[in-house]
Amino acid sequence: MDTSQLLKGVLDLAVLAVLDRGDGYGYEVVRGLRAAGLNEVGDASVYGTLRRLYNAGLLTSYVVPSEEGPHRKYYSLNPPGRDRLREMAKTWRAFAETMEGLVAAA
């Protein structure tokens, strides 16, 4: 089964969960997702998700200057982002339990 289609539906939740562990810049979030086993996640998808979550008011951002390369824009969860993460995690658990019941006999 192609997991990239499944990932599209849960990328917001996955990105929020990574940022719940600590602030991060775009590529750091990508690495966090891949380290968790989401190897098919694309850089552009994550950057787009970060921008969308930020524009929705779920993330804050700040820039950390670098002398060795471009400045890095870090993202962090804010209180509305944490609320959304909890809400989405609850929905995910209920959905996963339902799916497990459906495919258990397969």
Side-chain angles (χ1 to χ4, degrees):
M1 174 180 223
D2 180 10
T3 57
S4 63
Q5 292 299 316
L6 295 172
L7 185 57
K8 287 180 182 177
V10 296
L11 190 54
D12 286 9
L13 173 59
V15 168
L16 290 172
V18 167
L19 289 174
D20 191 44
R21 298 176 181 173
D23 297 358
Y25 55 90
Y27 192 66
E28 199 171 48
V29 173
V30 171
R31 286 192 314 218
L33 293 167
R34 290 179 181 160
L38 300 176
N39 298 318
E40 295 181 20
V41 68
D43 297 9
S45 295
V46 173
Y47 286 102
T49 299
L50 286 167
R51 281 192 299 275
R52 191 167 33 74
L53 292 171
Y54 176 79
N55 289 335
L58 302 174
L59 304 177
T60 57
S61 70
Y62 56 93
V63 174
V64 174
S66 172
E67 294 180 13
E68 299 176 4
H71 300 334
R72 289 185 171 153
K73 186 175 184 178
Y74 279 75
Y75 293 93
S76 62
L77 282 183
N78 58 21
R82 283 192 176 78
D83 290 345
R84 179 69 61 89
L85 173 60
R86 281 191 290 269
E87 173 187 307
M88 293 177 79
K90 181 179 176 181
T91 301
W92 170 255
R93 287 183 193 101
F95 179 78
E97 185 177 317
T98 299
M99 288 303 297
E100 183 59 33
L102 283 172
V103 301

